[in-house]
Amino acid sequence: MSENFGDWEYDKTCRTEFGEVGYHEVLVMSGAENGGLNYGENRLYNNPFDTDTESELVEGSEYGSSDDPDEFQPDDIQENLHNGVEENNAGVAENNAGVAENNAGVAENMDYDDGVPHEMEFEPVIPGAQMTRDQAILILAAYSLRHHMTSVAMQDLLSFLKLLQPGALPSTKFLFDKELDKIENSRYIFCCLKCGARVPDGSTHCVVDECRHEFNKKESLCKGNFCIYIPIVQQLKDFFENHEYTTFPKNDKKETDYLSHVCNSDYYLKQLREGKISQDDFTLIFNVDGVPLFSASKASMTPIQCALLEVKNTRSHVFMCGMWFRAEKPNIDVLLEPFVDKCCTLSETGVQWTNSLGVQVVTKVHPFVCTSDAVARPVLRNCQQFNGYFGCDWCLQRGRYVPKEGGNVMCYPYQTDVVRRVKEGYEQDALRAVREGNLVNGVKGPSLLSLLPTFDIVESFVPDYMHSVLLGVIQFLVNLWLDSKSGGKAYHIDHDDLAKVNRRLLKIKAPSGIARAPRSLEERKHWKATEWRNFLLYYSIPVLTGVLPRPHIQHLFLLSNSINLLLQDKIPRDSLVNIDLALCKFVIGMEDLYGEENCTFNVHQLTHLVGSVRNYGPISNVSAFMFESNNGRLKKMVSGTHHIPSQIAGKFILWRNLPVMAKKCQIQQARITVLNLYEHLLTTKRKVRISVHINDGSVALGRPKTRDLDAGELLALDTLFGVIDVRIHKVDFYKKVLFDGIVYQSSSYCAGYKRDNSVVLTNNGTYGRITEMVVVEVCICGNELCECDPQPECIVFLKELTVRSSRLFTDRQVGITKSRFPATVTETNRTIAFRLSDVHRKCVLMRIVPSLYAAPIIKTEEGD
């Protein structure tokens, strides 16, 4: 889970369990005149929608830990208020926040803009109400989404409200839906129940001469033999007009040092240089994948989802363009046709929208990348599956069948003289396949996606590492180690060794930046992709050391280290050659250590991973995590067993349209009580109050403690500031501090909980455990008659963890001379001081007797 969420203090983005839906900023004042701690301005911007920051520390969430009751107790909330404030002073504190409950008669008729009230026009839905009619309808819409209400439940609620106040609100679900500002009506596209061909609008029979089956719309709706298309143009227009977003910088000159995002990747820069896209254009990444809806049914949905690559935190802005619902596989041409048609229009003429200045803007949006698993990708490309002889999407390596367990499996052992596929070659193979009626190099025929401008039918497909590596290679290896059929082989993990590995796993105290705590390998069937990611990146090498033979650990290290490097937010371009060598060596080692029969297609895809990074940046940029996460949200929109596609489409459109409705009814200028209710309905996580905002950007949480600095801490401060005997005006000790959206805690505070947020890696490569965090006012002028007014800043004291070399984590053949994934460290008593801005990453600390390992957490925006 990503921990880097930009400037937390000023983040006005409103994120919910359904994504990003609105904006609000609540100003909380903790002024010194009320007994508060006077550090800086003490102005705090607490965003209740910011569900991705660690500041919330929510029980059961990916950041909070349910074993840490201190995060949620009322006493702790009081500690987070300024020191010495009694409960009867709550009215004063709320006045500072712009909320004066004791003066509700005045405040309820005022609007708040940066804490300054002014009169506003207000027409209540009923006399004495605190909201307008439009705001009430917005609240009801948000309420229905938050609680996944069925149509019957919504009708019952409206009937109840009608009894309370007739005529105030729509009395039926039908009338309520008419009140909502729908984006644009979704369009149904039907298929023949017999042959699957598309049935044109108004037709009564299938248009295929050999079929001519009678078409019955009601029957097709009942059996789900149709797809729904949701216009992408209107969704993009709504996004540009009603959402705040930031984009990655674009540069048409190739940056030679690092790959950090899609805008400085090779393929993107090539399109810019050739004039196929411009600096003002946007590009789309899209995904098509089947999603089972019920455990007791074969029924599934196949949505087309897409997102804008240039937008930061793009996973909060996922669009759905179409959806197929049926037990059988979809007719892919019927599903793709309207999507391809609209994408061509977007690429040629763009979408017209109005910016905040009222100026009409035309923005072109180009389909750029498709990320799908190995099952959906051949269907989209109209090619042979991976179990065929030419099943690879990026090269012409011919697979071969190898005997395994009484049958045969298709394998792809490593080859050096493989010819890469190119767009022109694919098109020639597709035409030849149509003429000859046979497969040509695994190609069955043309694909509709070939019609998309700026989309390369070969290079625009990427080997999604979520499916190929996490749910593919590493899961396959673990199952291979634990398989009883592997008994007697060097890599087999027996019952006793499995118990040892599980004990090691369950002792690990992961920091709150890791979404899920480690679970036993015996529960691996229920592991999510994020758990496999955590196992590969952080836990696997330490917990398997001494269990697997050394050659197998070193082999696994090649994969773990390579994926770590490819997930970095900045990848040195000159390191890609060595990473590619390491992955190729891993593929070669699969055949040497596990046999040719285990060289699966997922293993083969590793040889194309670095090429994808060159084209599109770090593999997290184009992973399917955000789409899989959104699939879970779409499934929650199902509240009945009938007309499932219509349920999902209707609720999805309503969710996407909430910001438009909120803007029209001026929810940001609503009464504070109404606004609080609206915010509550849009977020599922509770927030923790923040106590003191420091000028250096850090936020101290909880009540401070005071004591004198010991000799080691004073010496560390002298070293940090480069002055002997620094003059300290004031010092306060805190157990928890928030900085840049990341929570840090002292080691003593973490001792009793399952999460450990005290181990860090600094920018200069130093590992350490946080022993204390202090807010200090330090003067270094050296004047004995000092009259300076030093500004407070947050300093962390660490007990250094020294790194010791390990041959296990080096491989000079592929350029790995020193690895941090993980680092073998030793505890020391040396105290060093750092500013929080100098902390690079939090780390996972793993004590596997007799060794101690520290693994820095990867920063990604992939989600859970």
Side-chain angles (χ1 to χ4, degrees):
M1 194 67 170
S2 171
E3 294 182 359
N4 183 16
F5 300 99
D7 191 345
W8 184 90
E9 179 193 359
Y10 299 103
D11 186 1
K12 301 181 183 179
T13 306
C14 305
R15 290 183 283 272
T16 72
E17 63 170 321
F18 296 114
E20 183 163 324
V21 296
Y23 335 98
H24 182 55
E25 181 179 71
V26 178
L27 178 63
V28 180
M29 303 291 291
S30 54
E33 68 274 14
N34 293 324
L37 298 175
N38 187 17
Y39 291 136
E41 296 181 76
N42 292 324
R43 292 190 0 175
L44 309 171
Y45 298 85
N46 189 12
N47 183 356
F49 289 132
D50 197 354
T51 60
D52 288 332
T53 59
E54 290 190 48
S55 59
E56 291 171 292
L57 299 173
V58 183
E59 181 176 5
S61 77
E62 58 265 48
Y63 296 110
S65 58
S66 57
D67 61 298
D68 191 352
D70 188 41
E71 303 288 5
F72 319 106
Q73 295 299 321
D75 291 340
D76 186 51
I77 294 178
Q78 292 301 320
E79 284 185 7
N80 289 334
L81 296 174
H82 30 73
N83 190 14
V85 177
E86 301 292 335
E87 288 186 1
N88 57 8
N89 287 333
V92 177
E94 290 183 78
N95 274 316
N96 291 333
V99 182
E101 292 182 1
N102 294 331
N103 297 318
V106 176
E108 297 296 351
N109 290 301
M110 293 183 178
D111 177 29
Y112 292 86
D113 185 7
D114 292 333
V116 181
H118 57 82
E119 297 292 335
M120 63 172 287
E121 295 182 2
F122 179 75
E123 184 179 348
V125 60
I126 59 175
Q130 300 184 20
M131 65 183 74
T132 65
R133 186 175 188 274
D134 288 343
Q135 291 169 356
I137 291 175
L138 174 67
I139 295 291
L140 279 175
Y143 179 87
S144 67
L145 289 175
R146 166 69 182 267
H147 298 289
H148 312 293
M149 294 183 67
T150 64
S151 295
V152 174
M154 191 65 191
Q155 178 60 63
D156 291 344
L157 176 61
L158 292 171
S159 298
F160 173 70
L161 294 175
K162 179 183 176 182
L163 294 176
L164 292 178
Q165 186 67 39
L169 294 169
S171 58
T172 66
K173 178 69 165 57
F174 173 76
L175 294 175
F176 179 77
D177 288 340
K178 290 185 69 175
E179 295 278 354
L180 302 178
D181 295 319
K182 296 287 186 179
I183 295 178
E184 186 176 327
N185 291 331
S186 55
R187 182 160 65 97
Y188 287 76
I189 301 174
F190 293 95
C191 297
C192 175
L193 289 172
K194 184 177 179 181
C195 70
R198 178 179 177 179
V199 178
D201 296 341
S203 179
T204 58
H205 291 79
C206 177
V207 295
V208 179
D209 293 336
E210 293 78 8
C211 179
R212 300 300 297 173
H213 182 74
E214 183 178 1
F215 169 67
N216 186 296
K217 183 176 180 179
K218 185 175 180 181
E219 183 183 11
S220 293
L221 283 172
C222 182
K223 294 186 177 181
N225 198 39
F226 62 91
C227 68
I228 292 181
Y229 174 71
I230 304 173
I232 180 63
V233 176
Q234 188 65 26
Q235 293 183 66
L236 288 168
K237 181 176 183 292
D238 159 61
F239 170 76
F240 290 135
E241 290 183 346
N242 298 292
H243 292 259
E244 290 187 357
Y245 59 91
T246 56
T247 60
F248 293 108
K250 296 183 181 180
N251 188 356
D252 57 356
K253 294 182 179 180
K254 187 172 181 179
E255 296 180 16
T256 57
D257 294 334
Y258 294 97
L259 279 166
S260 55
H261 48 77
V262 69
C263 295
N264 69 348
S265 61
D266 289 357
Y267 187 71
Y268 195 95
L269 293 174
K270 177 184 176 184
Q271 301 299 309
L272 278 175
R273 288 194 300 270
E274 295 177 355
K276 294 181 179 179
I277 62 176
S278 71
Q279 294 283 352
D280 298 327
D281 293 352
F282 284 79
T283 56
L284 281 177
I285 177 174
F286 63 94
N287 169 268
V288 182
D289 199 3
V291 183
L293 289 174
F294 309 107
S295 58
S297 171
K298 292 182 179 180
S300 65
M301 64 175 179
T302 305
I304 301 178
Q305 303 178 84
C306 55
L308 296 171
L309 283 168
E310 290 83 358
V311 175
K312 294 181 180 180
N313 193 31
T314 188
R315 65 188 180 88
S316 297
H317 308 285
V318 176
F319 311 102
M320 184 172 69
C321 311
M323 180 179 60
W324 177 280
F325 176 78
R326 198 183 182 190
E328 292 83 5
K329 292 182 179 180
N331 183 327
I332 197 65
D333 287 343
V334 174
L335 180 61
L336 288 178
E337 183 180 350
F339 171 72
V340 171
D341 181 57
K342 288 299 180 183
C343 282
C344 290
T345 302
L346 284 171
S347 189
E348 293 171 4
T349 61
V351 56
Q352 184 173 333
W353 57 283
T354 305
N355 64 19
S356 59
L357 300 177
V359 179
Q360 292 287 324
V361 180
V362 175
T363 300
K364 292 184 178 181
V365 181
H366 307 276
F368 212 61
V369 188
C370 179
T371 177
S372 292
D373 61 20
V375 177
R377 193 164 51 240
V379 177
L380 296 171
R381 296 180 66 247
N382 197 17
C383 293
Q384 194 174 29
Q385 290 278 355
F386 58 88
N387 55 358
Y389 283 109
F390 292 96
C392 181
D393 304 279
W394 301 280
C395 72
L396 294 174
Q397 177 174 343
R398 178 184 173 89
R400 60 172 177 261
Y401 282 104
V402 177
K404 182 178 181 181
E405 299 176 2
N408 293 300
V409 293
M410 178 61 68
C411 297
Y412 291 84
Y414 182 76
Q415 293 182 10
T416 57
D417 55 347
V418 176
V419 178
R420 287 191 60 85
R421 292 185 187 269
V422 293
K423 179 180 179 180
E424 294 76 12
Y426 167 87
E427 293 172 348
Q428 293 173 6
D429 291 342
L431 294 175
R432 182 180 162 193
V434 173
R435 288 196 305 267
E436 299 177 2
N438 294 315
L439 291 171
V440 178
N441 291 328
V443 180
K444 297 179 181 179
S447 166
L448 281 177
L449 296 180
S450 297
L451 302 175
L452 292 173
T454 70
F455 188 86
D456 189 310
I457 195 64
V458 177
E459 295 297 337
S460 289
F461 283 92
V462 293
D464 171 43
Y465 96 101
M466 189 194 88
H467 289 100
S468 63
V469 179
L470 305 180
L471 298 176
V473 176
I474 187 61
Q475 186 181 45
F476 175 78
L477 279 176
V478 172
N479 289 332
L480 195 62
W481 299 330
L482 300 179
D483 191 348
S484 59
K485 297 177 183 177
S486 301
K489 296 183 178 179
Y491 55 79
H492 178 61
I493 298 178
D494 59 25
H495 184 269
D496 293 338
D497 285 337
L498 174 60
K500 181 191 296 184
V501 172
N502 287 336
R503 285 195 301 271
R504 290 175 173 180
L505 272 174
L506 297 177
K507 285 182 179 179
I508 296 173
K509 297 173 67 173
S512 56
I514 292 180
R516 298 172 184 269
R519 289 198 285 176
S520 165
L521 282 177
E522 293 174 341
E523 299 182 57
R524 65 189 183 278
K525 289 184 178 180
H526 307 292
W527 281 16
K528 302 294 185 181
T530 48
E531 293 176 277
W532 286 111
R533 179 181 61 194
N534 297 337
F535 181 78
L536 173 64
L537 300 183
Y538 312 127
Y539 314 142
S540 58
I541 301 297
V543 302
L544 292 171
T545 298
V547 175
L548 283 179
R550 186 181 181 88
H552 293 75
I553 289 290
Q554 291 176 319
H555 177 251
L556 177 63
F557 168 70
L558 292 173
L559 179 63
S560 177
N561 186 75
S562 298
I563 300 302
N564 260 289
L565 292 173
L566 294 180
L567 281 169
Q568 298 298 309
D569 49 4
K570 276 189 165 186
I571 304 175
R573 288 180 184 271
D574 56 8
S575 70
L576 292 178
V577 173
N578 285 335
I579 297 174
D580 195 28
L581 286 174
L583 289 173
C584 290
K585 186 175 181 179
F586 176 86
V587 175
I588 295 170
M590 281 296 298
E591 182 176 0
D592 295 339
L593 296 174
Y594 298 98
E596 184 183 12
E597 68 276 11
N598 291 314
C599 294
T600 63
F601 178 65
N602 281 328
V603 174
H604 171 75
Q605 288 186 84
L606 295 175
T607 62
H608 300 293
L609 212 53
V610 170
S612 169
V613 172
R614 287 194 177 98
N615 282 338
Y616 304 108
I619 53 178
S620 58
N621 287 355
V622 292
S623 78
F625 267 104
M626 60 178 167
F627 300 115
E628 293 292 336
S629 180
N630 200 54
N631 284 338
R633 300 184 186 106
L634 294 178
K635 290 174 68 174
K636 290 180 181 179
M637 294 179 182
V638 178
S639 54
T641 57
H642 297 289
H643 305 293
I644 291 174
S646 300
Q647 292 180 49
I648 296 175
K651 291 181 180 179
F652 177 83
I653 291 173
L654 177 58
W655 158 53
R656 292 295 313 176
N657 207 33
L658 278 181
V660 182
M661 297 171 60
K663 188 175 181 179
K664 287 184 177 180
C665 72
Q666 297 181 316
I667 195 67
Q668 303 305 323
Q669 286 75 44
R671 311 299 172 83
I672 194 67
T673 52
V674 176
L675 193 54
N676 286 341
L677 174 60
Y678 178 64
E679 292 170 350
H680 168 73
L681 292 173
L682 293 181
T683 181
T684 59
K685 299 180 180 180
R686 289 175 288 172
K687 55 187 180 295
V688 174
R689 285 187 180 271
I690 301 172
S691 100
V692 180
H693 182 88
I694 315 302
N695 287 340
D696 63 358
S698 57
V699 182
L701 306 176
R703 181 178 298 168
K705 295 182 179 179
T706 58
R707 67 168 174 82
D708 293 333
L709 295 172
D710 62 32
E713 292 165 344
L714 289 171
L715 180 60
L717 277 182
D718 291 345
T719 304
L720 175 64
F721 289 100
V723 177
I724 299 177
D725 296 331
V726 296
R727 182 170 299 157
I728 300 173
H729 287 214
K730 188 175 183 180
V731 57
D732 288 311
F733 289 78
Y734 288 89
K735 295 179 180 178
K736 298 172 288 184
V737 172
L738 177 74
F739 183 77
D740 197 20
I742 303 172
V743 169
Y744 300 93
Q745 298 168 335
S746 66
S747 56
S748 60
Y749 181 86
C750 299
Y753 303 119
K754 292 182 180 179
R755 297 284 184 170
D756 188 351
N757 294 301
S758 67
V759 184
V760 297
L761 171 66
T762 65
N763 289 330
N764 67 0
T766 301
Y767 289 87
R769 295 197 70 164
I770 299 174
T771 55
E772 298 288 355
M773 291 178 287
V774 297
V775 176
V776 295
E777 296 177 5
V778 176
C779 175
I780 58 174
C781 70
N783 187 354
E784 294 184 359
L785 301 177
C786 172
E787 296 182 359
C788 297
D789 183 20
Q791 295 298 312
E793 58 180 319
C794 188
I795 303 296
V796 293
F797 292 110
L798 308 177
K799 288 293 185 183
E800 185 179 8
L801 300 171
T802 58
V803 179
R804 52 189 187 86
S805 61
S806 173
R807 288 187 177 181
L808 183 63
F809 307 134
T810 59
D811 191 325
R812 296 185 181 277
Q813 191 176 25
V814 294
I816 306 174
T817 57
K818 183 178 180 181
S819 173
R820 296 181 304 173
F821 313 117
T824 307
V825 297
T826 303
E827 293 178 302
T828 70
N829 289 322
R830 183 190 172 203
T831 299
I832 52 179
F834 282 93
R835 294 178 176 87
L836 267 180
S837 57
D838 292 327
V839 174
H840 180 56
R841 301 278 173 86
K842 286 199 297 188
C843 301
V844 185
L845 191 68
M846 296 161 282
R847 189 180 299 277
I848 310 295
V849 179
S851 299
L852 188 65
Y853 303 93
I857 295 178
I858 302 297
K859 295 181 180 180
T860 72
E861 292 185 357
E862 292 177 323
D864 186 10

